[in-house]
Amino acid sequence: MKLQARTHAQTIAFVLMTGLLACVPMIGIYPYFVMQALCFALFAASFNLLIGYGGLPSFGHAMFLGTAGYASAHAAKVWGFPPEAAIILGTLAAAGAGVITGALAIRRQGIYFSMTTLAFAQMLYFFYLQTPFTHGEDGIQGVPQGIFLGLIDLSKVLNLYYVVLGIFLAGFVLIYRIIHSPFGEILNAIRENEPRAISLGYKTERYKLAAFVLSAGLAGLAGATKVIVAQNASLTDVHWTMSGEVVLMVLLGGLGTIYGPILGAFIIIAMQQYFAGFGQWVLVIQGLIFIACVLVFRRGIIGELAHALKIRL
Amino acid sequence: MNTQALFAQLLVGLINGSFYALLSLGLAVIFGMLNIINFAHGALYMMGAFCAWFLLNVVGLNYWFALVFVPLIVGCVGMVIERTMLKRLQGLDHLYGLLLTFGLALVIQGVFQNYFGSSGLPYAIPSQLTGGQNLGFMFLPNYRAWVVVFSLIICLATWYGIEKTKLGSYLRAATENPQLVRAFGINVPRMITLTYGFGVALAALAGVLSAPINQVRPLMGADLIIVVFAVVVIGGMGSIMGSIVTGFLLGLLEGLTKYFYPEASNTVVFVVMAIVLLVKPNGLFGRT
């Protein structure tokens, strides 16, 4: 009975969110802002899958966002890929990077895992800074948006908006399914008590790597979509500040909650837009939010709300 | 082969190695007592360099005063941070310490960037250490020689202090079992605060040493700290001597790479990290 009530609540929340997002172009909100926020929301949700449900605190997640961005930008611009193929290629590139870095990083636990992922991300940053196809500081600019599936012209804002919304929702539902699948339950068990999971016969390394690759791939989906929206891929997306930003989005919204990362992403992106003219004060504010989150509300906005209203998430 | 250039790069490597060693040593000392990875370490290193610049240009105290006062001043800032914030994280997952200090680093760097932009401020080499020696196979600037020797002395003194003195034995005991050490009447919370202050002071000292070589820039620590993290993953934080040796060795390796294959000089430390993770996942000197 209780479980059923919970599923109902989830369905209502999902329908509400979808409805709200579908109405955005009609109620006069700037669609580019929402599209950007949706890409970051998917990025944050993919990161939450890893840290909130897998218990793997990566501090280099920007490498997947940026890798996918560069791959799809290059494919769309230089090789003339249609947008869907470019996005798929970007996603695969990020998942591939996830296989290599993940296999190495999961050999260490906890804080060392964070430092290892951060170091790999920095290594990739230097690689993208030096390799010619990314055009260094300039980035890949003027990426064509193209015709989605040969039918939908993405240079029209409304078309682009609903395609991005569709990709976001698909990613979101996939993450929801992963979390509530037997695989997700095993991940949960590993996070809570790894030695016990091992003693029950689970090859925990494999599950952790699978979670890492899934998360990397979904972050790549977000990065590739973001490139089609913004029409450029740049070094900002692979920089460590981006890795920190996604941690902040998830922490602010609520670690290990389904909707937390999405709320967190919208808040942080809105804040960046609002304070865009204030130079580096944005960083200072972000830092202060980090400190406040850790010291005052560790469960994040959604988590604290649920706690106050005694809702089990 | 151009030996002049090779030795010049090796010297640069040794200098960088000195900073890696001082910083990873501080990280290891802090981690041992507080179980926190101090992400703000790079920002505090930068603060050390700026503090030296202020002392020289605003207060009028020269390099030698800075060498003494800056670690004390920044160390005190560190102790305030520990007392007001880090203290509340005891018993929580290590991740929260990393997140909090990451936030701190953003705040400190952001504030300095707002006031000083991203460009560098020059800091003159102290007059006693200008010039250099011609060793025949290379030209050795006096200041650079001083940085390497002085860092080595500080590192070894720290190692001696922690591994061989009575105070150090309290420290090591408190790392292993704080409750028990407390039961013997030692004020462990104060020891934790002082330890954090000391680790931060080491970072600030590295900042002062670096000011005349690298310019004083708000982002000078941000670029460095990630490499230092890789150094820490390679060495493992279990051993004090391990941090020192790894720091200097990786600096040298970076110098060699700069000479033989400059394109990879930014990434070589990370490649070594990947190899170490494959071969010896706990790090070269790691215990667990």
Side-chain angles (χ1 to χ4, degrees), chain A residues 148-226:
Chain A
F148 191 75
L149 297 172
L151 294 168
I152 308 164
D153 182 4
L154 292 187
S155 58
K156 294 202 173 65
V157 179
L158 270 188
N159 291 351
L160 184 63
Y161 180 79
Y162 285 106
V163 167
V164 171
L165 180 60
I167 292 175
F168 165 77
L169 289 175
F172 180 84
V173 170
L174 179 62
I175 290 172
Y176 184 86
R177 288 307 313 148
I178 292 172
I179 291 167
H180 292 91
S181 68
F183 171 75
E185 297 295 336
I186 296 165
L187 270 189
N188 203 3
I190 294 173
R191 190 194 61 199
E192 294 294 328
N193 193 339
E194 187 165 354
R196 179 172 284 186
I198 293 172
S199 76
L200 287 171
Y202 290 112
K203 300 234 180 314
T204 57
E205 300 269 294
R206 282 190 203 168
Y207 284 94
K208 286 202 252 179
L209 181 60
F212 195 89
V213 174
L214 277 171
S215 171
L218 284 159
L221 179 64
T225 313
K226 182 174 167 294

Side-chain angles (χ1 to χ4, degrees), chain A residues 126 130, chain B residues 9 20 227 250 253-259 261-270:
Chain A
F126 282 121
Q130 288 171 339
Chain B
Q9 291 299 358
Y20 297 161
V227 182
L250 285 168
L253 181 71
E254 226 178 42
L256 279 176
T257 320
K258 239 175 222 151
Y259 179 77
Y261 189 54
E263 289 83 358
S265 62
N266 282 329
T267 41
V268 64
V269 173
F270 304 120

Side-chain angles (χ1 to χ4, degrees), chain A residues 51 57-59 103-105 107-108 110-120 122-124 126-127 129-130 239-241 243-245 247-248 251 255 278-296 298-299, chain B residues 31 37 39 84-86 88-89 92 94-100 102-104 106-107 109-111 113-115 118 219 222-223 226-227 229-230 232-234 236-238 262-264 266-267 270-271 273-274 277-283 288:
Chain A
I51 187 172
S58 156
F59 232 86
L104 288 167
R107 296 171 73 93
R108 297 300 293 267
I111 221 79
Y112 282 99
F113 177 83
S114 305
M115 289 193 283
T116 308
T117 44
L118 178 64
F120 279 129
Q122 187 74 351
M123 178 174 161
L124 270 177
F126 282 121
F127 171 72
L129 182 67
Q130 288 171 339
H239 198 248
W240 59 266
T241 44
S243 298
E245 230 162 72
V247 179
L248 181 59
L251 187 67
L255 214 97
F278 292 84
Q280 300 302 329
W281 288 114
V282 177
L283 280 186
V284 178
I285 296 168
Q286 286 186 353
L288 290 175
I289 300 177
F290 252 112
I291 296 172
C293 280
V294 173
L295 289 181
V296 188
R298 229 160 278 138
R299 295 188 188 94
Chain B
F31 185 74
I37 285 291
F39 212 123
T84 52
M85 291 183 250
L86 298 178
R88 304 190 197 188
L89 300 181
L92 289 176
H94 295 179
L95 178 67
Y96 289 109
L98 185 73
L99 295 177
L100 182 78
F102 181 77
L104 267 174
L106 286 183
V107 172
Q109 267 161 23
V111 168
Q113 266 184 293
N114 276 311
Y115 287 110
S118 289
L219 289 179
D223 304 332
I226 301 179
V227 182
F229 278 170
V232 165
V233 174
I234 294 169
M237 282 188 291
E263 289 83 358
N266 282 329
T267 41
F270 304 120
V271 175
M273 183 189 81
L277 282 172
L278 273 176
V279 182
K280 213 166 172 292
N282 288 330
T288 43

Side-chain angles (χ1 to χ4, degrees), chain B:
Chain B
M1 203 159 99
N2 182 349
T3 44
Q4 285 275 353
L6 175 63
F7 281 108
Q9 291 299 358
L10 280 179
L11 181 63
V12 172
L14 261 185
I15 300 261
N16 285 335
S18 314
F19 298 143
Y20 297 161
L22 280 172
L23 289 173
S24 64
L25 182 61
L27 281 179
V29 171
I30 291 172
F31 185 74
M33 274 304 273
L34 286 89
N35 271 324
I36 277 177
I37 285 291
N38 188 28
F39 212 123
H41 221 62
L44 292 161
Y45 157 86
M46 176 269 288
M47 237 176 159
F50 267 98
C51 201
W53 185 86
F54 270 113
L55 284 185
L56 183 68
N57 292 292
V58 181
V59 187
L61 289 176
N62 69 17
Y63 178 84
W64 304 104
F65 284 102
L67 219 46
V68 178
F69 287 123
V70 169
L72 289 176
I73 297 167
V74 182
C76 286
V77 172
M79 288 194 265
V80 171
I81 292 173
E82 198 279 332
R83 273 286 144 126
T84 52
M85 291 183 250
L86 298 178
K87 203 170 181 232
R88 304 190 197 188
L89 300 181
Q90 269 172 11
L92 289 176
D93 193 300
H94 295 179
L95 178 67
Y96 289 109
L98 185 73
L99 295 177
L100 182 78
T101 49
F102 181 77
L104 267 174
L106 286 183
V107 172
I108 297 172
Q109 267 161 23
V111 168
F112 276 85
Q113 266 184 293
N114 276 311
Y115 287 110
F116 298 96
S118 289
S119 53
L121 300 167
Y123 187 98
I125 293 176
S127 55
Q128 295 87 341
L129 292 173
T130 48
Q133 314 295 325
N134 195 343
L135 302 181
F137 56 90
M138 70 176 292
F139 179 77
L140 177 66
N142 287 341
Y143 184 75
R144 297 189 173 223
W146 154 255
V147 169
V148 175
V149 172
F150 186 65
S151 310
L152 201 59
I153 292 171
I154 293 288
C155 286
L156 293 179
T158 306
W159 170 79
Y160 184 84
I162 291 174
E163 299 287 341
K164 305 284 174 200
T165 64
K166 183 133 195 192
L167 186 69
S169 69
Y170 290 154
L171 200 76
R172 280 177 289 132
T175 308
E176 295 285 330
N177 192 336
Q179 275 81 25
L180 198 63
V181 175
R182 227 172 158 162
F184 285 130
I186 292 167
N187 188 342
V188 174
R190 190 169 71 200
M191 211 149 111
I192 291 179
T193 310
L194 287 173
T195 307
Y196 189 76
F198 177 72
V200 167
L202 281 179
L205 183 73
V208 181
L209 289 174
S210 138
I213 298 178
N214 310 304
Q215 288 192 318
V216 181
R217 288 179 302 118
L219 289 179
M220 63 193 288
D223 304 332
L224 192 61
I225 192 65
I226 301 179
V227 182
V228 174
F229 278 170
V231 172
V232 165
V233 174
I234 294 169
M237 282 188 291
S239 127
I240 296 292
M241 194 48 112
S243 317
I244 303 171
V245 172
T246 320
F248 275 101
L249 277 183
L250 285 168
L252 273 180
L253 181 71
E254 226 178 42
L256 279 176
T257 320
K258 239 175 222 151
Y259 179 77
F260 287 105
Y261 189 54
E263 289 83 358
S265 62
N266 282 329
T267 41
V268 64
V269 173
F270 304 120
V271 175
V272 172
M273 183 189 81
I275 297 169
V276 168
L277 282 172
L278 273 176
V279 182
K280 213 166 172 292
N282 288 330
L284 298 177
F285 300 90
R287 278 186 297 190
T288 43

